[in-house]
Amino acid sequence: MATLTLGSTIGFSHSSSSSDISAYCIPSSTTRFCFSSIILSPLKLQKRTSRRRARALIAVKMAAQAFQEVLPPALTSVSEPPPIFDGTTRLYISYTCPYAQRVWITRNCKGLQNKIQLVPINLQDRPSWYKEKVYPPNKVPALEHNNEVKGESLDLIKYIDSNFEGPSLFPDEPGKREFAEELINYVNSFTGSVVSSFKGDGNEADVAFDYIESALSKYGDGPFFLGQFSLVDIAYAPFIERFRPFLLEVKTYDITAGRPKLAAWIEEMNKIKGYQQTRRDPQEHVDSYKKRFLVILSNIPKCSSFLLSINVRANLHTP
């Protein structure tokens, strides 16, 4: 397994303010060197990198100590609605939904805990006013902003990154942007393939996780998909968080075996404070998936991939 330090660059610096450091993610350094006039020896470069990583580690620890969010209880069918469209920006989530978790992570890593209010919904006992007054599709996540309510997690993580302050989580470099879009477009195929493997022999999971391992090998400037931490990592993290313990317990399948890049990615993701607070106990995921998927898949032995994908997405939204 590859060993990587916490000092890996987090965020892209092109739209970050030098005075605004996220409570949970550290923007990349904006220092530039003119290599026509300055030549750094490998030893000096190594020392400079080590010092930069050490400073990043200290900053992350200080930021984590400075802000600890108290999570509100989930609202139920007997809960009163918040004062909707009063100018407050609200993120409606479920603590158990991986799609909502994507947007929650993005909010945290942008340092927007005081700008975007969390409104957790109990999906098993959801209030009627949520569908009637907030979001007619009656799903999470949903973002109330500027007197509008928007949905769909992949759209929302891009929207928050583009329309709110904080370190940018998407690159300017054309090559990386193109690769990022490719990976984001693949994520639904990835989750569908892995869930399909729950009933089979694991070949589909092998292909899906081998693709992830290959993608993580493309850039050598960090342990994340684009080297630096980005929206791509956020898009995949909630699902890999759930797939890993479930496959290990139910199928005795270790997704990191023979995949050192994926193992290193998981290790580094787990160090990010903005992600840590959104995580659930692995055994909760295992128990939830056993109830949800094993029963469904045992009842549709000849289900087409299209129908299966519908069942997968519906059940991934359910707590």
Side-chain angles (χ1 to χ4, degrees):
M1 179 183 301
T3 301
L4 297 162
T5 66
L6 179 57
S8 305
T9 304
I10 298 177
F12 296 87
S13 62
H14 58 267
S15 63
S16 303
S17 167
S18 61
S19 62
D20 177 28
I21 297 180
S22 164
Y24 292 111
C25 293
I26 306 300
S28 58
S29 171
T30 55
T31 303
R32 292 180 173 83
F33 299 98
C34 178
F35 285 94
S36 61
S37 59
I38 300 176
I39 299 177
L40 298 177
S41 69
L43 179 59
K44 288 183 178 179
L45 184 60
Q46 183 179 11
K47 288 181 178 180
R48 186 184 298 275
T49 301
S50 298
R51 288 196 298 269
R52 184 165 61 248
R53 287 175 173 173
R55 287 196 297 270
L57 175 59
I58 293 171
V60 168
K61 288 182 177 179
M62 291 177 63
Q65 293 170 355
F67 193 100
Q68 291 293 336
E69 184 176 20
V70 178
L71 299 179
L75 302 182
T76 68
S77 59
V78 298
S79 302
E80 292 294 321
I84 302 164
F85 300 134
D86 65 344
T88 301
T89 301
R90 297 182 176 88
L91 175 60
Y92 297 86
I93 66 166
S94 163
Y95 289 136
T96 60
C97 173
Y99 297 95
Q101 188 180 0
R102 284 172 172 164
V103 192
W104 185 7
I105 296 168
T106 305
R107 163 199 182 257
N108 290 353
C109 286
K110 295 284 286 184
L112 298 169
Q113 292 86 343
N114 290 325
K115 300 291 180 68
I116 301 178
Q117 178 184 338
L118 278 186
V119 183
I121 301 293
N122 184 332
L123 295 182
Q124 292 180 322
D125 184 27
R126 68 189 79 191
S128 60
W129 51 258
Y130 181 67
K131 178 178 181 179
E132 296 166 357
K133 299 180 179 181
V134 179
Y135 193 50
N138 205 24
K139 300 186 299 183
V140 293
L143 181 72
E144 177 188 339
H145 182 234
N146 288 342
N147 292 320
E148 294 182 341
V149 178
K150 306 175 184 293
E152 298 302 326
S153 63
L154 294 177
D155 293 336
L156 288 180
I157 63 175
K158 293 179 181 179
Y159 180 85
I160 289 176
D161 189 45
S162 300
N163 290 276
F164 290 85
E165 62 188 34
S168 175
L169 298 173
F170 210 69
D172 269 341
E173 183 184 327
K176 286 193 173 184
R177 289 184 72 89
E178 182 179 353
F179 189 53
E181 292 293 351
E182 176 186 325
L183 290 171
I184 289 174
N185 289 336
Y186 174 72
V187 69
N188 288 334
S189 296
F190 166 75
T191 58
S193 295
V194 175
V195 173
S196 297
S197 75
F198 291 173
K199 184 174 175 59
D201 58 7
N203 288 340
E204 290 181 273
D206 281 336
V207 173
F209 286 111
D210 285 347
Y211 180 92
I212 297 300
E213 180 71 10
S214 176
L216 287 166
S217 303
K218 185 174 179 67
Y219 293 103
D221 55 337
F224 302 105
F225 282 103
L226 304 181
Q228 303 174 53
F229 178 73
S230 73
L231 295 180
V232 178
D233 304 288
I234 292 173
Y236 282 88
F239 295 95
I240 293 178
E241 173 187 328
R242 288 157 173 79
F243 292 155
R244 187 187 189 189
F246 179 78
L247 287 169
L248 189 60
E249 179 166 325
V250 174
K251 308 286 286 186
T252 320
Y253 180 85
D254 182 359
I255 67 172
T256 64
R259 301 185 182 100
K261 296 291 185 181
L262 178 56
W265 179 84
I266 292 172
E267 182 179 349
E268 292 302 306
M269 278 298 305
N270 289 339
K271 294 175 183 178
I272 295 176
K273 294 295 181 180
Y275 170 56
Q276 286 178 2
Q277 191 169 37
T278 72
R279 293 175 61 200
R280 309 283 295 181
D281 185 281
Q283 193 58 47
E284 288 185 36
H285 293 318
V286 173
D287 294 342
S288 175
Y289 270 35
K290 281 181 178 179
K291 293 176 183 177
R292 203 176 313 166
F293 290 113
L294 296 186
V295 172
I296 288 175
L297 292 173
S298 65
N299 289 332
I300 28 181
K302 296 182 179 180
C303 180
S304 70
S305 59
F306 174 74
L307 291 176
L308 180 58
S309 68
I310 294 175
N311 278 285
V312 167
R313 186 167 179 82
N315 279 276
L316 285 171
H317 268 290
T318 307

